[in-house]
Amino acid sequence: QVTAKTAFLFILPQYNVSVPTADGELVQYHYGLKDLVTILFYIFIAIILHAVVQEYVLDKINRRLHLSKVKHSKFNESGQLVAFHLSSVIWCLYVVVTEGYISNPRSLWENYPHVYLPFQVKFFYLCQLAYWLHALPELYFQKVRKEEIPRQLRCIALYLLHIAGAYLLNLTRLGLILLLLQYLAEFFFHMAQLVYFTDENNEKLFNIWAVVFVVTRLFTLTLYILVIGFGLPRVENQAIDPERGNFFSFLFNNILFRMSVLLLVCLFQASVMWRFIHFQLRRWREYWNEQSSRKRAAATAAGTKQPAKPLKRDSGYHENGVVKAENGTSPRTKKLKSP
């Protein structure tokens, strides 16, 4: 029994409480320090799954493609993220649908703070934190190039900041919707990269990703304005109460603070869109340069293979459609009369 209790501490979420409802009691969860033990266990699980995907899927494909070192590293990164984003999108979509967060948008801010979480919501957040924390030692295991480490560290830090912030500040419902939108756009991007590595002429998925990216950015900005600008200021309990998990809802009654937060959100989304536009312009420029170079190469090859035929010149000049000799006589040879 002692061993079983210790195993449950690693495997299952802790801090379960019975919340009375109209139909009886409902078991829900809140967070605490014991969550670190559970996250540590799933970090090792994520490392094992990472190695399985790398060994039995990505390495076999790499042997067939014969990619360069740079493309080999990017292919492995995109392959791992495609597997993760696809599973996370399916899991997150299932959670938000079953919990009714999509069908009832008011639930994103009603009864804030959302201290008590359903089992699947808390387990989802613990697994997300475990995955992005496991990405840190994977930088060493995968022998990532030094030039790529700052970019990947920045990406990991942003994901950890947003996921942990939503989890600790009891904004888990809003965080689930935002993660769903973000992971959906990232899935199409890394899927497009995988297809591009196998066939450099196939860039259709990049166009699909561009549409999905713009749509998800618009939905993300709309959600921020809806929840921060209109939802949280209407919460009944505006008094700060750290014991109940209410940290800052009273601040949103202050219109200056609310507008400052929305301004920061808009600036961040604008910077993301600027990088997206810059990426698209660079990609289109490279595409048209490549197409023009191919046309020039094809024209050069055609010119060397098919030499120009010499033009036949007439010995006279044309007058009313009739060829005449230079002295005015007809160039046609006269028949000699027999004597």
Side-chain angles (χ1 to χ4, degrees):
Q1 293 181 354
V2 177
T3 307
K5 290 181 180 180
T6 306
F8 288 149
L9 180 64
F10 284 90
I11 298 172
L12 297 177
Q14 303 300 309
Y15 303 103
N16 57 318
V17 293
S18 297
V19 180
T21 59
D23 300 330
E25 291 186 349
L26 182 64
V27 178
Q28 292 191 331
Y29 298 80
H30 59 95
Y31 61 80
L33 290 177
K34 292 181 181 179
D35 291 340
L36 297 176
V37 180
T38 309
I39 291 173
L40 179 63
F41 173 77
Y42 285 101
I43 286 176
F44 293 115
I45 298 297
I47 291 175
I48 294 172
L49 293 176
H50 190 114
V52 169
V53 173
Q54 185 68 42
E55 179 70 23
Y56 294 99
V57 180
L58 298 179
D59 285 346
K60 290 184 178 180
I61 299 175
N62 275 320
R63 294 190 192 100
R64 295 182 180 180
L65 295 178
H66 303 289
L67 299 175
S68 61
K69 290 184 178 181
V70 176
K71 290 185 177 181
H72 179 83
S73 177
K74 291 184 177 180
F75 184 88
N76 289 335
E77 179 188 356
S78 294
Q80 293 287 347
L81 290 175
V82 161
F84 168 71
H85 288 315
L86 179 60
S87 58
S88 295
V89 164
I90 296 173
W91 189 4
C92 189
L93 183 62
Y94 173 79
V95 172
V96 297
V97 170
T98 54
E99 295 296 332
Y101 299 153
I102 292 181
S103 59
N104 183 21
R106 290 179 176 270
S107 62
L108 297 179
W109 63 82
E110 282 183 343
N111 301 321
Y112 178 83
H114 307 132
V115 179
Y116 299 112
L117 309 175
F119 171 82
Q120 58 180 355
V121 175
K122 175 164 183 173
F123 190 60
F124 177 82
Y125 270 92
L126 294 180
C127 291
Q128 291 294 313
L129 290 171
Y131 179 85
W132 290 108
L133 285 172
H134 111 282
L136 294 173
E138 285 294 342
L139 295 176
Y140 173 76
F141 295 146
Q142 293 293 318
K143 298 179 180 179
V144 178
R145 296 184 305 148
K146 292 182 179 180
E147 297 82 4
E148 292 291 323
I149 289 179
R151 178 184 63 83
Q152 295 198 23
L153 283 176
R154 187 166 56 250
C155 178
I156 294 169
L158 286 174
Y159 272 112
L160 286 174
L161 179 64
H162 284 78
I163 296 172
Y167 184 65
L168 297 176
L169 297 177
N170 302 311
L171 290 169
T172 51
R173 299 179 183 182
L174 176 62
L176 281 172
I177 305 296
L178 295 178
L179 276 179
L180 177 62
L181 295 173
Q182 176 66 20
Y183 285 167
L184 185 64
E186 289 292 313
F187 167 75
F188 279 101
F189 174 73
H190 291 288
M191 193 68 197
Q193 278 200 326
L194 291 181
V195 174
Y196 177 76
F197 288 140
T198 56
D199 182 10
E200 293 187 355
N201 296 322
N202 191 347
E203 295 188 358
K204 294 181 180 179
L205 270 179
F206 277 112
N207 298 328
I208 297 175
W209 164 72
V211 175
V212 173
F213 181 87
V214 173
V215 172
T216 54
R217 289 303 100 191
L218 291 176
F219 271 104
T220 299
L221 186 59
T222 304
L223 274 175
Y224 273 117
I225 295 174
L226 183 64
V227 176
I228 297 176
F230 299 99
L232 289 177
R234 298 181 181 181
V235 174
E236 295 180 359
N237 184 15
Q238 295 290 344
I240 184 170
D241 190 359
E243 293 183 358
R244 295 186 56 189
N246 193 348
F247 297 103
F248 58 89
S249 63
F250 73 99
L251 293 174
F252 289 99
N253 276 333
N254 188 339
I255 188 171
L256 182 61
F257 177 80
R258 188 163 66 246
M259 294 304 296
S260 299
V261 173
L262 289 176
L263 179 61
L264 289 176
V265 170
C266 292
L267 289 176
F268 178 76
Q269 296 299 322
S271 66
V272 172
M273 285 300 299
W274 170 252
R275 289 196 297 270
F276 167 76
I277 294 172
H278 180 72
F279 172 79
Q280 290 295 323
L281 291 176
R282 185 181 62 184
R283 187 171 69 88
W284 289 337
R285 193 183 305 113
E286 292 175 354
Y287 174 77
W288 288 115
N289 290 337
E290 184 179 356
Q291 291 296 320
S292 60
S293 62
R294 286 181 179 179
K295 289 180 180 179
R296 287 195 298 269
T300 304
T304 55
K305 290 182 179 179
Q306 297 179 359
K309 295 181 179 179
L311 296 176
K312 294 182 179 179
R313 296 182 179 180
D314 297 319
S315 57
Y317 64 94
H318 291 78
E319 183 178 345
N320 296 328
V322 179
V323 179
K324 292 189 176 182
E326 293 180 355
N327 56 4
T329 61
S330 175
R332 187 178 301 169
T333 56
K334 294 181 179 181
K335 293 183 179 180
L336 298 175
K337 295 181 179 180
S338 57

